[in-house]
């Protein structure tokens, strides 16, 4: 009879504090401990208390790491047979708990109950600090750790703390290297089946959750919810140090490393530190050369699925975020926000060495390498170092001669689609960057910035040998080769050296006879 209430929805035992209903009086008794704070079952290892014996028993596996119930399909271990039973539904596809409103199925009753709030909008558990509502007391408890800073789950290998046990378990794969759920398309491994399921949409292209404002599709409803904050302007996660707001908690946590300097994820090859595991995993492809996400249109490979999705707009022409000043389109709202600073002149990130301002923190980080001399990306063919991975990748084509992006007007080839786009302005006459002092137009922002020194007289980059000043560090670098005699770009036909790759390309026409602009 009690079981039938699962299907009928009847819950005769109601909590007097919050109104939540239960099928058993014993469930109500346990639930009331949420309000009273009673936790009669205590862990002898760490002192943590639990409202149920089962909760304590499951928790003890954190200390012992014992998982006596293994899955016969994937080998994943569990602390209880009930957890294993629920997990096996991942492999069988069984979802016995169905939503009466939309028909969506779930492997656990608790997940169904949480889902039903999507339709009712009910969130009876509210955070007293920020007012955010939750469908369960457990979610509220986890959320409150954002405000208290409590991280009760600590990694025994590196000491990093986490607000939830699943996050700790996920983190431990960094040390063990275990990734039990593998994508059959690209071989990428995941620690959770849910992560694998989301990842597979990269290959299938399925995006069932669509934004009503811009039409962008998402693989998860939670991703759509976060995205909608782009349109509403909501940033519920605020940095206590500088007041900057974020749409996601993970964004805030990553940002806090700007103030603390903490980078707990370190590359074993070069020692570089990262604030997030995903950033470390993406970086490791620099050393391995692995690019598991391939464009089906041109074959170009990417280290991140997000980079592939951004790249695909080159072929589809889809740019949902458009600049109201110049009409330029972007695949992400964050890219549009940075771009708009070109028109407003806002440069919130300033170099402490030379005072130069930048529109994004990543540009400032790369610029700093001009002063430190750091060039972490090195060409395996000639040993030349670069401040950015993208510059190294473009440089590789000097050795291979590959130029996959060709101009339809004159046939000239380019190593990047962005270079082709700028070049095409030679034919169209488009000059979207205009000097506010004299009205002169430019095809690139860099050209405008260099030109502005004509009016200001500013030349912040000075040659130590002859004192000549330059508006850009790249110009200074090329100039210094006059003094050093360095000619890093060598013709493979006659051995002649050049200070710039553009001069080498011009020279090569002596051997090929090619005159790409003869008809223009």
């Amino acid at each position: 009879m009690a079981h039938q209430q699962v299907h009928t929805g009847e819950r005769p035992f109601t909590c007097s504090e919050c109104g939540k209903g239960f099928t058993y009086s014993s469930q109500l008794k346990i639930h009331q401990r949420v309000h009273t704070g009673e936790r009669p079952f205590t862990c002898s290892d760490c002192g943590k208390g639990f409202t149920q014996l089962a909760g304590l028993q499951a928790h003890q596996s954190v200390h012992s790491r014992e998982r006596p119930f293994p899955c016969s399909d994937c080998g994943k271990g569990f602390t209880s047979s009930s957890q294993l039973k629920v997990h096996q539904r991942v492999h069988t596809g069984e979802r016995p708990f169905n939503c009466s409103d939309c028909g969506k199925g779930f492997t656990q009753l608790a997940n169904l109950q949480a889902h039903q709030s999507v339709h009712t909008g009910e969130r009876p558990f509210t955070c007293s600090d920020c007012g955010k509502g939750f469908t369960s007391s457990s979610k509220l408890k986890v959320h409150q750790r954002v405000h208290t800073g409590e991280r009760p789950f600590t990694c025994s290998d590196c000491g990093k703390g986490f607000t939830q046990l699943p996050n700790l378990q996920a983190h431990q794969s960094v040390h063990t290297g275990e990734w039990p759920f593998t994508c059959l398309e690209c071989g990428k491994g995941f620690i959770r089946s849910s992560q694998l399921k989301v990842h597979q949409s990269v290959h299938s292209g399925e995006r069932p959750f669509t934004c009503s404002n811009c039409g962008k599709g998402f693989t998860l409803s939670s991703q759509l919810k976060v995205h909608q904050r782009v349109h509403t302007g909501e940033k519920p996660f605020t940095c206590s140090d500088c007041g900057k707001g974020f749409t996601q908690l993970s964004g805030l946590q990553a940002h806090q490393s700007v103030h603390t300097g903490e980078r707990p994820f370190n590359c074993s090859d070069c020692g570089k530190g990262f604030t997030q595991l995903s950033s470390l995993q993406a970086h490791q492809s620099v050393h391995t050369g692995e690019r598991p996400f391939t464009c089906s249109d041109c074959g170009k490979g990417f280290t991140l699925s997000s980079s592939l999705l951004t790249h695909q707009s080159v072929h589809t022409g889809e740019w949902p975020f458009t600049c109201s000043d110049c009409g330029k389109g972007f695949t992400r709202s964050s890219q549009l926000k940075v771009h708009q600073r070109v028109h407003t002149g806002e440069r919130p990130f300033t170099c402490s060495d030379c005072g130069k301002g930048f529109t994004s923190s990543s540009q400032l980080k790369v610029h700093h390498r001009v002063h430190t001399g750091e060039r972490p990306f090195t060409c395996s063919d000639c040993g030349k170092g670069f401040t950015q991975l993208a510059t190294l990748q473009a440089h590789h084509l000097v050795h291979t001669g590959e130029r996959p992006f060709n101009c339809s007007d004159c046939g000239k080839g380019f190593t990047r689609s962005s270079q082709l786009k700028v070049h095409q302005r030679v034919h169209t006459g488009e000059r979207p960057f205009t000097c506010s002092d004299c009205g002169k137009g430019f095809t690139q922002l860099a050209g405008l910035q260099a030109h502005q020194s004509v009016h200001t007289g500013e030349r912040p980059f000075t040659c130590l040998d002859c004192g000549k000043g330059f508006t850009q560090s790249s110009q200074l670098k090329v100039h210094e080769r006059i003094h050093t005699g360095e000619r890093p770009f060598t013709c493979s036909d006659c051995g002649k050296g050049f200070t710039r790759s553009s001069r080498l390309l011009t020279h090569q026409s002596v051997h090929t006879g090619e005159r790409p602009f003869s008809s223009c």
Side-chain angles (χ1 to χ4, degrees), residues 37 85 232 378 403 444:
K85 184 178 178 181
T232 63
T378 307
R403 295 183 171 272
Q444 298 182 71

Side-chain angles (χ1 to χ4, degrees), residues 209-398:
F209 301 96
T210 307
C211 175
S212 58
N213 289 101
C214 67
K216 188 174 182 180
F218 297 88
T219 54
L220 296 173
S221 59
S222 58
Q223 291 174 333
L224 172 59
K225 185 179 178 182
V226 170
H227 164 78
Q228 286 171 331
R229 293 170 181 160
V230 172
H231 302 292
T232 63
E234 182 190 5
K235 294 180 179 281
F237 303 97
T238 306
C239 176
S240 57
D241 287 298
C242 66
K244 187 175 181 180
F246 297 86
T247 56
Q248 299 182 73
L249 173 60
S250 58
L252 170 60
Q253 291 170 337
H255 164 79
Q256 286 170 331
S257 66
V258 173
H259 303 291
T260 64
E262 183 186 2
R263 295 180 174 272
F265 301 98
N266 296 300
C267 175
S268 57
D269 288 297
C270 66
K272 187 175 182 180
F274 297 88
T275 57
Q276 295 175 296
L277 171 60
S278 57
S279 301
L280 170 59
Q281 290 170 338
H283 163 79
Q284 286 170 331
S285 65
V286 173
H287 304 291
T288 64
E290 183 185 4
R291 296 179 171 274
F293 303 99
T294 307
C295 176
S296 57
D297 289 296
C298 66
K300 187 174 182 181
F302 297 88
T303 56
L304 297 171
S305 60
S306 58
S307 300
L308 171 59
L309 291 171
T310 300
H311 163 79
Q312 284 172 332
S313 63
V314 173
H315 303 291
T316 64
E318 184 184 359
W319 307 89
F321 300 96
T322 307
C323 176
S324 57
D325 288 296
C326 67
K328 187 174 182 180
F330 298 88
T331 55
R332 299 178 192 169
S333 60
S334 58
Q335 293 171 331
L336 172 59
K337 185 178 179 181
V338 170
H339 164 79
Q340 286 171 329
R341 292 170 180 159
V342 172
H343 303 292
T344 63
E346 183 189 5
R347 296 179 174 273
F349 303 95
T350 307
C351 175
S352 56
D353 288 297
C354 67
K356 187 174 181 180
F358 297 88
T359 56
S360 67
S361 59
S362 58
Q363 290 175 339
L364 173 58
K365 184 179 177 181
V366 171
H367 166 78
H368 268 146
R369 293 169 181 161
V370 172
H371 302 291
T372 63
E374 182 191 5
R375 296 181 174 272
F377 304 99
T378 307
C379 175
S380 56
D381 289 300
C382 65
K384 186 177 181 181
F386 297 88
T387 57
Q388 300 181 70
L389 173 60
T391 311
L392 169 61
Q393 291 168 340
H395 165 79
H396 275 315
L397 301 173
V398 172

Side-chain angles (χ1 to χ4, degrees), residues 109-237:
L109 174 60
N111 292 346
L112 169 59
Q113 291 169 340
H115 164 78
Q116 285 170 332
S117 66
V118 173
H119 303 291
T120 63
E122 184 184 3
R123 295 179 174 271
F125 301 94
T126 306
C127 175
S128 57
D129 287 296
C130 66
K132 187 174 182 179
F134 297 87
T135 55
S136 66
S137 59
S138 58
K139 289 181 181 177
L140 171 59
K141 184 179 177 183
V142 170
H143 165 79
Q144 286 171 329
R145 292 169 183 160
V146 174
H147 303 292
T148 63
E150 182 191 6
R151 295 177 176 272
F153 303 97
T154 307
C155 176
S156 58
D157 289 297
C158 67
K160 187 175 182 182
F162 297 87
T163 56
Q164 299 181 69
L165 175 60
N167 293 348
L168 169 60
Q169 293 169 337
H171 164 79
Q172 286 169 333
S173 66
V174 175
H175 304 292
T176 64
E178 183 183 358
W179 307 90
F181 300 96
T182 306
C183 176
L184 298 177
E185 296 280 344
C186 66
K188 187 173 182 180
F190 299 87
I191 52 174
R192 298 177 191 167
S193 60
S194 58
Q195 292 172 330
L196 171 59
K197 186 178 178 182
V198 171
H199 163 79
Q200 285 170 331
S201 66
V202 173
H203 303 292
S204 67
E206 183 184 3
R207 295 180 172 273
F209 301 96
T210 307
C211 175
S212 58
N213 289 101
C214 67
K216 188 174 182 180
F218 297 88
T219 54
L220 296 173
S221 59
S222 58
Q223 291 174 333
L224 172 59
K225 185 179 178 182
V226 170
H227 164 78
Q228 286 171 331
R229 293 170 181 160
V230 172
H231 302 292
T232 63
E234 182 190 5
K235 294 180 179 281
F237 303 97

Side-chain angles (χ1 to χ4, degrees), residues 69-78 84 87-88 91:
F69 300 95
C71 174
S72 57
D73 287 296
C74 66
K76 187 174 181 180
F78 296 88
L84 172 59
H87 165 79
Q88 285 172 329
H91 302 291

